[in-house]
Amino acid sequence: QVQLVESGGGLVQAGGSLRLSCAASTTIFGAYVMGWYRQVSGKQRELVGSITGSSSPTYADSVKGRFTISSDNSKNTMYLQMSSLKPEDTAVYYCKIRTGVWGPDYWGQGTQVTVSS
């Protein structure tokens, strides 16, 4: 069982930056997939970006060039650096780790990001 705790959300003005953190209760080294998702109330959860194995991160078109995923294995923590934020980035952000090819998946509790215009 892996527990994930997110932090770093908050209120920021358009054009600003935030860094979200996702701390895992155990090592994330070797996780099959690490990713960030977001969800607006009433809408489906969408993928923001992910890292599969040792591959380079991939991102949704809507955040490409503005968001960056990274991890620090020594701290068992994954990050989402968000820059040039827009009001449409407002959502609850979730981290997810898939430990193996077929799962299981572990989710964080979510952290609210609100971008004001």
Side-chain angles (χ1 to χ4, degrees):
Q1 191 80 3
V2 179
Q3 293 181 330
L4 303 176
V5 179
E6 294 134 350
S7 60
L11 174 64
V12 63
Q13 287 190 330
S17 299
L18 280 175
R19 189 178 77 160
L20 305 183
S21 299
C22 174
S25 60
T26 187
T27 181
I28 59 174
F29 179 75
Y32 183 67
V33 178
M34 299 187 294
W36 286 93
Y37 291 72
R38 65 187 182 186
Q39 187 170 24
V40 176
S41 180
K43 295 189 177 181
Q44 280 193 323
R45 193 171 296 187
E46 64 173 1
L47 176 66
V48 173
S50 64
I51 300 175
T52 301
S54 58
S55 301
S56 297
T58 58
Y59 301 94
D61 288 344
S62 58
V63 306
K64 204 171 292 183
R66 300 188 297 120
F67 290 12
T68 302
I69 294 175
S70 63
S71 65
D72 185 337
N73 293 332
S74 68
K75 297 181 178 179
N76 297 334
T77 300
M78 180 171 62
Y79 303 98
L80 180 66
Q81 178 68 49
M82 305 184 294
S83 302
S84 302
L85 283 162
K86 304 175 181 180
E88 51 263 44
D89 294 320
T90 295
V92 177
Y93 283 72
Y94 299 87
C95 60
K96 185 190 88 171
I97 289 179
R98 172 171 290 183
T99 54
V101 175
W102 305 111
D105 292 340
Y106 298 96
W107 291 88
Q109 82 286 359
T111 185
Q112 176 71 46
V113 171
T114 302
V115 183
S116 63
S117 57

